[in-house]
Structures are given as C-alpha cells and as structure tokens.
Amino acid sequence: MKIPSRHVLFLNSRYRKSNNAFHLKLLKGSYHIAVDGGIRFFLKNNIQPDVLIGDFDSAPRMSAKYLSGFEIVRHPSHKDKTDSQLAVELALERGAGEIEICGGLGSTEIDHTLGNIFLLDIVNKHSRKQNKNVKARLINSSNSVYLVDNDFILLRAAVGDYLSVIPMSEFVALDFTGLVYPPPKRRLKFGDTLSLRNQFKHDRCRLHIKGKAIVVVIKKK
C-alpha cells in the first residue's frame, strides 16, 4: 500500500479534549506516527496509528490485540537521539513530502520544545541533500512554527492573525506581501525583535527569507 505523502507525528504530550477535533482533522489523509507516549492520543480516540516508534519509557501498557494492528519500531532507552528525532528521520526515510508535528510545543518542558523546533532544521538539510522540498512545521490549535533557511514560504491564515520572524543567523533579510506592516528596511541581526507580531492583512502571506529564521503564525484570540 502506498504511504501518504503527509506524515503527522504525535509526540508525548497532553492532548486536551477541547482540541480533539482539531487533531483528528489533521489525521485525515495522512500517515500517522505515534511517538512513544503520543500513543495515548490514539488510545483515547479508539483508533490506531500506522506506526509506533520510541523506547517506550512513556507509553502506557497496551493489549496484544491493539498492538497487533500496526507496525512497532522499538529503540533502546540508551541512545543518542530523542524519540522525536527518530520519528522525523523515519518519516523522511519513508518519503514524506510534508511533516506535521503535534505535541511539540509544550508549556513546561522548554528544553524539548526548543529541541523540537530544531528538528525542522534536520528536514531542511535533508531537503537540500536530496534536492527535494519537504515541508515541515510544529503545530497546535493556536500556533504553527516553521524554520526557514534561505527560502520562500507561502503562509495561509485568517485576517488579523499574527506572524513573527525570529532571526537565527548573523544577518537576515526579509521580503513579504500580505501583512499590515511593511518589510524592515534593514537587515535583521541574530535575536532581533523588530519582526515580531506583524499581522495578516489578507488570508495569505508570501515570505522570502535570506538567512535562517524561525517563523511563527499565531491565531488571534
């Protein structure tokens, strides 16, 4: 059976009941990868992933009948990569053209959140090496996070939603259309805050970044 191009990863996280419909919608037409404790999302909804990957230090006990319904990729607990990185690499190995990562924007474990953002750089490097254009983002019901490295990106959002660009290289030049405030007239430096909290003037923005930057789209409450 052909694997769908869009892969959705569910990391170990707390998935609120109020966001359940949002997450279930993401699964439609995708290849589902449960990452260790991320299997709880599937269990709560009485569905199965396509594959479960991890060292299983955070996954709950599951019946043999349930486990027989999908592929299991087990890794040792002593390893040099996080389960999340192993899952991203698995998606790339299986030909993902788009990777959406759920549960990666935690509210308390800031180390994992930062590490998860830089998983997007692994995808970018793979794309350049393989001469492909694999899209990747971290996503929850309020935010989408991208890592753009000398590239264009087309972003869609509701009018009034926010867009922030955080420079991650020594110098970053921005050009874009579709936002309320115009592009900066100067190059941005690493850590510059000038490009935080612009807003969508239309329902899409074409953004060109020279350099490397984290891009965050935030839904207006």
Side-chain angles (χ1 to χ4, degrees), residues 6 8-10 13-28 30 41 45 47 101-103 139-141:
R6 187 168 64 88
V8 179
L9 281 55
F10 278 79
S13 184
R14 294 180 180 178
Y15 294 97
R16 295 180 180 178
K17 188 175 181 179
S18 59
N19 294 328
N20 205 48
F22 169 82
H23 289 117
L24 289 173
K25 186 177 180 180
L26 283 177
L27 288 179
K28 292 182 179 179
S30 72
F41 171 80
N45 286 283
I47 55 178
I101 304 172
C102 301
I139 185 171
N140 61 25
S141 60

Side-chain angles (χ1 to χ4, degrees), residues 30-73:
S30 72
Y31 187 70
H32 319 334
I33 301 179
V35 185
D36 210 314
I39 191 67
R40 286 188 176 87
F41 171 80
F42 295 88
L43 286 166
K44 285 195 300 184
N45 286 283
N46 197 30
I47 55 178
Q48 293 178 328
D50 292 295
V51 59
L52 169 62
I53 185 172
D55 57 17
F56 303 160
D57 65 340
S58 60
R61 287 190 175 185
M62 292 165 277
S63 68
K65 182 179 179 181
Y66 181 75
L67 290 170
S68 67
F70 50 85
E71 180 186 359
I72 297 174
V73 179

Side-chain angles (χ1 to χ4, degrees), residues 167-183:
M168 294 300 296
S169 55
E170 185 176 2
F171 293 105
V172 171
L174 300 181
D175 191 22
F176 50 76
T177 58
L179 300 180
V180 172
Y181 303 107

